[in-house]
Amino acid sequence: MVGIKRDTVQMRKAEKKIAKGKKGKERFDEIDDEETRVVPWPKLIRIRGPMTLVSRRISCRMEKLENKKACVREEGLSAFIKIFHDGDQEENEEVLDSILENYFLTYLDQMLNCLKKGLTKEKQLASQALGLLAIYVVETENADEIYRYTTSLVTELLRVPNKLLEPCGFIALIECLAIVTFFCASNTVEIQAAMQVIWEYICPKSKVGAHKNQVSATTLSTLIYSWMFLLTRVYRLEIIFAWQGVISWFLTLLKEDATCVAAGEALALIFEYDKVDRFFVKTEELLSESYDGLRKYIKNIILKQLESTSMEAKTGPPLKQMFNNAARTDWDVLMYFKEDKRPKYYETFYEQKLILTSWSSITQLKFIKNFLGEEEFSNYLMENEVIQELFAFEPYYEEEETPTLYEPTFEKIETRVYLPGTRGKDPELLTKSQIKKEREQTKSIIDKSKTKLMNKRRTFAEERKGKGYFEEVVSAVSLFGLLS
């Protein structure tokens, strides 16, 4: 585990030399009383006595994570990822709760070991497993543990050159850093520290990163979206890091075919925060300019470049393909800067629409959807309360009609009878003939109602005996002339 003190190789060799001259019980009687010695976390928690089915399942998967073969460890990681994706099922929910309560430190230690020692595929799976764990424990006390140890290790792996790490493994580490920081960081300083690590690979003028020269165009777009994703968690009044050169660098990337879409959306997100001065370096001519004047000046520069990029996309096949048919006259980024038109993005999940009208929410949707996958994101949106709260989404479910297990032997039949009143007359003032007439009318209505009620009962009784169905079949057969 990163940050945990381990015994050095020299200490272990010295202990073996001392133990060689001892026999039997004497080798195990010594007790180390040094306060500086820290016992490492156990690799696997062993439970004495009978194990439950849940504990047996967890232990089986954790043993795979300790296997020397990479393929076995990858199999164990895939099994844990499947448990997270199917967390709404009752048995998997019990496994997740048990991991959080009894196996959390052991599970986290094993994930980090796979992330540190594994090759590209194992790093990808471990990164995804840690990201899913971060989403699951976001509202618990374990969130801080995941953030501290994961971000520390990922930052170390990114800055140490590794020729065996493929671009997809590098992207997995960046996405793991972003998703863990987004859900588990406790303050804006921690969030912006992770943004700074990612920015080192976006801008070559910043600190030199291990993979700076190996970043491809596709990877650079992923880095921009990861940086934007973390920016959505920073409140605009809490921007404390030095980001003054960000707008200028995104304007440069806006001229590149491979990064123009991502750079344009990043500029729109910065303007939505309405703190442009925190992301732009003022020249001597602009030092005395007011904030509104500076904002208008930068907006005109961005709009001019966006219009140029949009025109090139109509004629240049490479740029048009990169835009994915988005670079039209109504390109949402262009319309945002040209007419202050807010974006409107909606998508349907299980016949329910999710409508987003801000660049921050659209950025969050794109990143999380890319991290989880199309189908899995739909399931998380319908079942996971953390994702639902993030997008203010309230799913509704139609009640399914459950088939009846039995049919009642008797049906309760009711009928309502409306009797005519005395039409506003006082009964004491009526004559004998009028009273007789009213009584006969009432009796006639009641008798007709009784007749209707008896006919209904007779009909229901015939249907229960199957007589009604038999009469329908006979009439249908006779209609087509099948009976002689």
Side-chain angles (χ1 to χ4, degrees):
M1 173 70 69
V2 179
I4 294 180
K5 186 175 180 181
R6 302 270 187 184
D7 292 343
T8 61
V9 178
Q10 291 80 4
M11 290 175 62
R12 289 197 295 270
K13 288 182 178 179
E15 289 176 358
K16 288 181 179 179
K17 289 181 179 179
I18 296 173
K20 283 183 180 179
K22 298 183 180 181
K23 297 181 180 181
K25 188 178 178 182
E26 292 179 0
R27 299 178 60 187
F28 305 97
D29 287 342
E30 292 187 356
I31 299 175
D32 191 352
D33 295 329
E34 295 181 8
E35 295 181 358
T36 58
R37 183 185 178 97
V38 180
V39 179
W41 286 343
K43 289 294 182 181
L44 184 63
I45 297 177
R46 303 292 182 185
I47 301 177
R48 295 182 179 179
M51 295 180 65
T52 63
L53 179 61
V54 173
S55 300
R56 193 177 296 110
R57 290 181 62 189
I58 296 174
S59 298
C60 179
R61 284 164 175 78
M62 284 187 170
E63 286 175 355
K64 289 184 178 181
L65 298 181
E66 291 185 330
N67 198 287
K68 294 182 179 180
K69 294 183 179 180
C71 59
V72 179
R73 295 196 301 271
E74 292 169 5
E75 183 182 346
L77 289 169
S78 300
F80 275 112
I81 291 173
K82 182 172 176 29
I83 290 175
F84 278 107
H85 285 331
D86 299 335
D88 56 322
Q89 298 180 6
E90 185 176 353
E91 56 179 4
N92 290 331
E93 188 176 355
E94 292 179 3
V95 173
L96 292 176
D97 292 339
S98 181
I99 290 175
L100 187 62
E101 294 176 4
N102 306 318
Y103 298 87
F104 176 74
L105 295 180
T106 306
Y107 176 76
L108 180 59
D109 186 28
Q110 292 177 336
M111 293 294 107
L112 294 174
N113 285 335
C114 292
L115 190 67
K116 183 177 181 179
K117 300 177 182 179
L119 297 179
T120 300
K121 185 177 180 181
E122 189 173 350
K123 276 182 167 57
Q124 286 181 285
L125 294 172
S127 299
Q128 189 175 11
L130 286 167
L132 296 174
L133 181 64
I135 297 174
Y136 186 75
V137 303
V138 61
E139 297 178 351
T140 67
E141 298 177 353
N142 296 320
D144 183 62
E145 298 285 336
I146 296 178
Y147 168 78
R148 287 191 294 111
Y149 291 115
T150 303
T151 54
S152 176
L153 177 59
V154 171
T155 304
E156 178 186 345
L157 293 175
L158 289 173
R159 288 176 174 169
V160 175
N162 185 358
K163 296 181 180 179
L164 297 178
L165 183 63
E166 299 177 9
C168 55
F170 173 73
I171 291 176
L173 291 175
I174 291 291
E175 290 181 343
C176 177
L177 175 65
I179 204 81
V180 170
T181 304
F182 183 89
F183 286 102
C184 297
S186 58
N187 56 65
T188 185
V189 177
E190 295 176 346
I191 297 171
Q192 292 184 69
M195 291 172 61
Q196 186 65 46
V197 174
I198 298 174
W199 185 254
E200 292 177 8
Y201 301 93
I202 298 176
C203 181
K205 296 180 180 179
S206 60
K207 295 181 181 180
V208 179
H211 300 272
K212 177 177 67 64
N213 297 325
Q214 303 177 18
V215 173
S216 62
T218 307
T219 304
L220 188 55
S221 296
T222 304
L223 289 169
I224 295 173
Y225 282 120
S226 300
W227 186 87
M228 292 167 56
F229 178 64
L230 291 178
L231 181 60
T232 61
R233 270 291 315 273
V234 181
Y235 186 59
R236 63 180 184 175
L237 298 179
E238 297 178 342
I239 299 175
I240 57 178
F241 277 54
W243 303 108
Q244 278 77 12
V246 169
I247 290 180
S248 300
W249 186 246
F250 280 143
L251 280 170
T252 304
L253 296 178
L254 195 60
K255 301 175 184 179
E256 303 293 333
D257 293 354
T259 57
C260 56
V261 177
E265 293 181 6
L267 291 169
L269 178 63
I270 292 172
F271 262 73
E272 185 180 67
Y273 268 67
D274 201 20
K275 282 293 177 182
V276 180
D277 55 334
R278 303 289 181 90
F279 298 89
F280 187 78
V281 179
K282 291 184 179 181
T283 60
E284 294 182 359
E285 300 175 356
L286 300 173
L287 288 176
S288 59
E289 192 71 44
S290 63
Y291 176 77
D292 292 337
L294 177 64
R295 193 176 191 276
K296 185 177 180 181
Y297 172 79
I298 300 173
K299 182 178 179 181
N300 291 334
I301 297 176
I302 296 174
L303 182 59
K304 184 178 179 180
Q305 184 59 47
L306 285 173
E307 289 177 342
S308 174
T309 304
S310 181
M311 290 298 296
E312 291 177 9
K314 296 177 181 179
T315 56
L319 186 58
K320 188 174 182 180
Q321 184 180 3
M322 184 59 63
F323 262 62
N324 194 19
N325 299 324
R328 303 183 302 270
T329 54
D330 59 343
W331 181 27
D332 47 2
V333 175
L334 177 61
M335 298 304 293
Y336 176 75
F337 283 98
K338 189 175 183 178
E339 301 179 3
D340 292 331
K341 186 177 179 181
R342 295 179 63 85
K344 187 174 183 181
Y345 180 90
Y346 71 90
E347 196 166 345
T348 305
F349 300 97
Y350 294 106
E351 300 182 356
Q352 300 184 44
K353 282 187 177 181
L354 174 64
I355 302 175
L356 305 175
T357 57
S358 67
W359 289 110
S360 59
S361 58
I362 293 173
T363 301
Q364 292 170 357
L365 174 69
K366 287 183 177 180
F367 188 88
I368 297 177
K369 186 177 175 182
N370 179 70
F371 179 80
L372 296 175
E374 181 84 24
E375 182 178 353
E376 299 302 338
F377 177 79
S378 302
N379 297 333
Y380 270 75
L381 188 64
M382 299 300 293
E383 303 292 343
N384 191 283
E385 295 181 359
V386 176
I387 303 299
Q388 292 172 3
E389 184 178 353
L390 180 63
F391 296 106
F393 181 79
E394 296 183 3
Y396 63 90
Y397 303 92
E398 295 182 358
E399 296 184 359
E400 298 181 358
E401 296 183 0
T402 56
T404 55
L405 299 179
Y406 67 93
E407 291 187 1
T409 307
F410 297 99
E411 299 268 352
K412 184 179 181 181
I413 304 172
E414 296 182 355
T415 184
R416 294 184 179 183
V417 180
Y418 296 92
L419 300 177
T422 56
R423 299 178 184 178
K425 296 182 180 180
D426 190 355
E428 296 182 357
L429 300 179
L430 295 176
T431 60
K432 291 183 178 180
S433 59
Q434 289 176 336
I435 293 173
K436 184 178 180 182
K437 186 177 180 181
E438 292 283 349
R439 190 183 298 117
E440 289 176 353
Q441 266 186 337
T442 303
K443 185 179 180 182
S444 175
I445 292 172
I446 293 174
D447 290 342
K448 288 180 180 178
S449 300
K450 286 182 178 180
T451 303
K452 290 182 179 180
L453 183 62
M454 293 301 295
N455 289 337
K456 284 185 178 181
R457 287 179 177 174
R458 189 179 298 107
T459 302
F460 287 140
E462 290 175 354
E463 288 179 355
R464 283 196 301 270
K465 295 178 181 179
K467 183 178 179 181
Y469 174 76
F470 177 74
E471 289 179 351
E472 290 179 3
V473 173
V474 171
S475 61
V477 172
S478 61
L479 179 65
F480 289 98
L482 299 178
L483 290 177
S484 55

